[in-house]
C-alpha cells in the first residue's frame, strides 16, 4: 500500500546553469563548447498502439547503470530508454575536470537530439533502428548515431536516487521538454562528504577518479573484492554485483558480455576479463558536484519558479518506507514548502489548475522502489505516462 499527498504550486521560470559550487547563467555558446559524452543505453521495443503516449527516459543512481531499469523497460507498453550516465555502465567518463551538472545535462540533451524514440520518428512497430548497433538486441555497447534531426519530443523523465538530482537539473534547464518528472527516493538536502558511505580507504582522490572499469588484471573474485574494498565498498558487494550483472565477464575477442555461471572466472585460455558497470569515480564526482553543494535546494527552487512563463508539468516524488528511505523527512517537507503547496484532494484527476506536486509513499519498499515495490511503482508510472499524454 502507498499513500499520496497532493500539493499545488504556482511558480515562475528562469534559466539554470549549475556550476561547480553555485548557480549561474549559461549561454548556448558555452554549451556548444562543452563536448558531450556519447551515452550508451537500453531501450524497450513497443508496438504502434503506443505512439500516442510520450516516451520515458530513465536515469540511474550511484553504483548503478541502465541495468537497474531492465525489468521496468520490459513491463512498459510505451517507448522507454534507460541511460548509462557518463562514467557508468558502458558510457565513458570523459575528462573528470569537465564533470559537473551542466555537462551531464548536455550529455542527456545531445542523446535526446539523436535518438529516434524522442524524434517523433520512433520505430513504434517494433522494428530495429536503422542506425543502432547490431548488438542492441543484447543491450551491449549501444550508441547513438549522428544522423537524426534535432526535434525533441517532450517526455516523462524518471530519476532514481542520484538520478533524481540529475533529472531536476535537466528539467530546470529544459522545462519545455518535460511532460512529467518523477524523483524516486531522493530529497534536496546537502550531504557532506562524510555521508558518502563508500570512500577510498586511502583517501586517494586521484586513484578513485582514474578507476579503470576494464579490470584486465583481475583474474578471480577474491582479487575483485579486494579492489572494491579498497574503494570503501562492503566486502559482499562484488558477489552481489556479479549475480545482478553490475559486474560482468567480457570476452576479449568478441567484446560482448559472456554468461557467468557459478565457479566460472576469466582465464588466459578464453581471454576474458571482468568489467564493472559500477564506477567509484562517478560516486565521488557526484558527491563533489551535487551533494556537498546547495544544488538540491537551488534546483528545486528553480523548478518551483517556472509557471510564470507558462511551464506546467507535474512533479512526482516517490519515497520508500520510512525505515528504508535515504530521504530526510525535514528535507521532504522543505520540498513541499518550496513548492508552496497547501495539500490536495487525494486524486490524480486531470481536473486541476496550476502546477502540482504529488508525493507517493511506498510501505515496505527499499531505496530502489522500482525493484522492491515494482508492481506499485509500475502502476503509478503507467498512470503518470497516461496522464502526461493528456496534458495532465
Amino acid at each position: 500500500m502507498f499513500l499520496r499527498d497532493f500539493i499545488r504550486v504556482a511558480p515562475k521560470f528562469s534559466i539554470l546553469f549549475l556550476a561547480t559550487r553555485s548557480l549561474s547563467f549559461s549561454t548556448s555558446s558555452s554549451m556548444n563548447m562543452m563536448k558531450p559524452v556519447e551515452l550508451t543505453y537500453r531501450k524497450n521495443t513497443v508496438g504502434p498502439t503506443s505512439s500516442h503516449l510520450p516516451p520515458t527516459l530513465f536515469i540511474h543512481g550511484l553504483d548503478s547503470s541502465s541495468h537497474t531499469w531492465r525489468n521496468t523497460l520490459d513491463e512498459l507498453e510505451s517507448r522507454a530508454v534507460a541511460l548509462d550516465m557518463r562514467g557508468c555502465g558502458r558510457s565513458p567518463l570523459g575528462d573528470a575536470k569537465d564533470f559537473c551538472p551542466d555537462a551531464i545535462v548536455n550529455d542527456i540533451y545531445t542523446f535526446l537530439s539523436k535518438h529516434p524514440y524522442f524524434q517523433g520518428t520512433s520505430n513504434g512497430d517494433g522494428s530495429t533502428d536503422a542506425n543502432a548497433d547490431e548488438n542492441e538486441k543484447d543491450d551491449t555497447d549501444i550508441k547513438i548515431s549522428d544522423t537524426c534531426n534535432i526535434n525533441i519530443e517532450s517526455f516523462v523523465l524518471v530519476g532514481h536516487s542520484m538520478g533524481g538530482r540529475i533529472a531536476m537539473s535537466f528539467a530546470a534547464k529544459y522545462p519545455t521538454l518535460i511532460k512529467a518528472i518523477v524523483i524516486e527516493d531522493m530529497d534536496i538536502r546537502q550531504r557532506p562528504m562524510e555521508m558518502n558511505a563508500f570512500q577510498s580507504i586511502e583517501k586517494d582522490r586521484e586513484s578513485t577518479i582514474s578507476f579503470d572499469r576494464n579490470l584486465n588484471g583481475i583474474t578471480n573474485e577474491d582479487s575483485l573484492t579486494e579492489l572494491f574494498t579498497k574503494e570503501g565498498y562492503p566486502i559482499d558487494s562484488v558477489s552481489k554485483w556479479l549475480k545482478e550483472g553490475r559486474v560482468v565477464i567480457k570476452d576479449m575477442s568478441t567484446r560482448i558480455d559472456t554468461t557467468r555461471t557459478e565457479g566460472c572466472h576469466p582465464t588466459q585460455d578464453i581471454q576474458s576479463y571482468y568489467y564493472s558497470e559500477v564506477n567509484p569515480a562517478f560516486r565521488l564526482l557526484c558527491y563533489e558536484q551535487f551533494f556537498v553543494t546547495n544544488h538540491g535546494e537551488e534546483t528545486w527552487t528553480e523548478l518551483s519558479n517556472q509557471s510564470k512563463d507558462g511551464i506546467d508539468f507535474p512533479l512526482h516524488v516517490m519515497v520508500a518506507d520510512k525505515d528504508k528511505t535515504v530521504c530526510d523527512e525535514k528535507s521532504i517537507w522543505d520540498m513541499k514548502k518550496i513548492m508552496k503547496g497547501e495539500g490536495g484532494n487525494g486524486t490524480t484527476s486531470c481536473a486541476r489548475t496550476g502546477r502540482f506536486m504529488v508525493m507517493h509513499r511506498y510501505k515496505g519498499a527499499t531505496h530502489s522502489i522500482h525493484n522492491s515495490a515494482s508492481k506499485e511503482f509500475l502502476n503509478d508510472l503507467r498512470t503518470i505516462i497516461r496522464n502526461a499524454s493528456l496534458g495532465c
Side-chain angles (χ1 to χ4, degrees), residues 303-316:
L303 289 172
S304 78
N305 291 334
Q306 290 178 342
S307 62
K308 275 194 174 180
D309 277 15
I311 306 301
D312 180 20
F313 58 82
L315 302 99
H316 296 262

Side-chain angles (χ1 to χ4, degrees), residues 94-354:
D95 191 335
K97 295 184 180 66
D98 293 337
F99 193 102
C100 67
D102 207 43
I104 293 173
V105 167
N106 193 30
D107 292 343
I108 298 170
Y109 182 86
T110 302
F111 174 87
L112 294 169
S113 71
K114 297 174 181 179
H115 194 280
Y117 268 23
F118 301 89
Q119 297 299 304
T121 58
S122 58
N123 298 346
D125 58 359
S127 60
T128 303
D129 298 338
N131 298 307
D133 187 283
E134 64 179 354
N135 289 325
E136 182 166 349
K137 59 182 178 297
D138 296 319
D139 291 327
T140 57
D141 297 325
I142 307 168
K143 296 201 174 183
I144 54 180
S145 71
D146 295 319
T147 59
C148 298
N149 295 323
I150 300 179
N151 181 27
I152 301 172
E153 179 181 350
S154 54
F155 61 97
V156 175
L157 180 58
V158 182
H160 171 237
S161 193
M162 176 63 224
R165 291 290 184 95
I166 294 172
M168 292 179 205
S169 297
F170 187 91
K173 184 71 180 178
Y174 296 108
T176 58
L177 294 180
I178 305 301
K179 283 281 193 181
I181 186 171
V182 178
I183 308 300
E184 182 187 350
D185 214 46
M186 176 49 59
D187 55 26
I188 59 172
R189 62 174 166 157
Q190 279 185 274
R191 286 172 165 80
M193 191 61 74
E194 291 74 23
M195 290 184 67
N196 182 4
F198 310 137
Q199 298 187 57
S200 168
I201 294 175
E202 299 175 356
K203 307 294 183 184
D204 185 346
R205 181 183 185 277
E206 292 309 311
S207 176
T208 298
I209 295 301
S210 60
F211 186 88
D212 187 359
R213 287 169 289 157
N214 290 296
L215 307 171
N216 297 327
I218 304 296
T219 59
N220 57 68
E221 192 171 321
D222 288 341
S223 298
L224 194 62
T225 300
E226 182 181 357
L227 176 67
F228 278 100
T229 52
K230 285 182 178 179
E231 292 295 337
Y233 290 91
I235 196 167
D236 61 347
S237 295
V238 168
S239 59
K240 176 184 175 184
W241 294 341
L242 283 165
K243 291 176 181 177
E244 293 177 346
R246 283 194 262 181
V247 174
V248 296
I249 298 171
K250 299 190 75 175
D251 191 304
M252 292 287 287
S253 61
T254 61
R255 303 298 296 174
I256 63 172
D257 292 348
T258 57
T259 303
R260 179 183 184 273
T261 57
E262 195 63 33
C264 175
H265 299 291
T267 68
Q268 292 183 347
D269 293 337
I270 61 173
Q271 293 186 313
S272 57
Y273 65 101
Y274 285 112
Y275 180 85
S276 173
E277 296 198 352
V278 175
N279 191 352
F282 181 76
R283 167 177 281 275
L284 177 58
L285 289 166
C286 282
Y287 256 86
E288 292 177 347
Q289 295 294 322
F290 289 88
F291 286 140
V292 303
T293 71
N294 287 322
H295 167 272
E297 184 172 342
E298 291 174 339
T299 309
W300 194 251
T301 301
E302 193 71 22
L303 289 172
S304 78
N305 291 334
Q306 290 178 342
S307 62
K308 275 194 174 180
D309 277 15
I311 306 301
D312 180 20
F313 58 82
L315 302 99
H316 296 262
V317 178
M318 297 180 169
V319 181
D321 188 278
K322 61 183 178 64
D323 295 325
K324 300 172 183 177
T325 180
V326 302
C327 297
D328 176 73
E329 195 62 30
K330 180 182 180 302
S331 184
I332 293 296
W333 280 102
D334 287 343
M335 294 170 79
K336 294 180 180 181
K337 287 191 292 184
I338 289 172
M339 290 298 171
K340 301 178 178 67
E342 297 179 357
N345 58 11
T347 174
T348 52
S349 169
C350 290
R352 63 181 177 85
T353 57

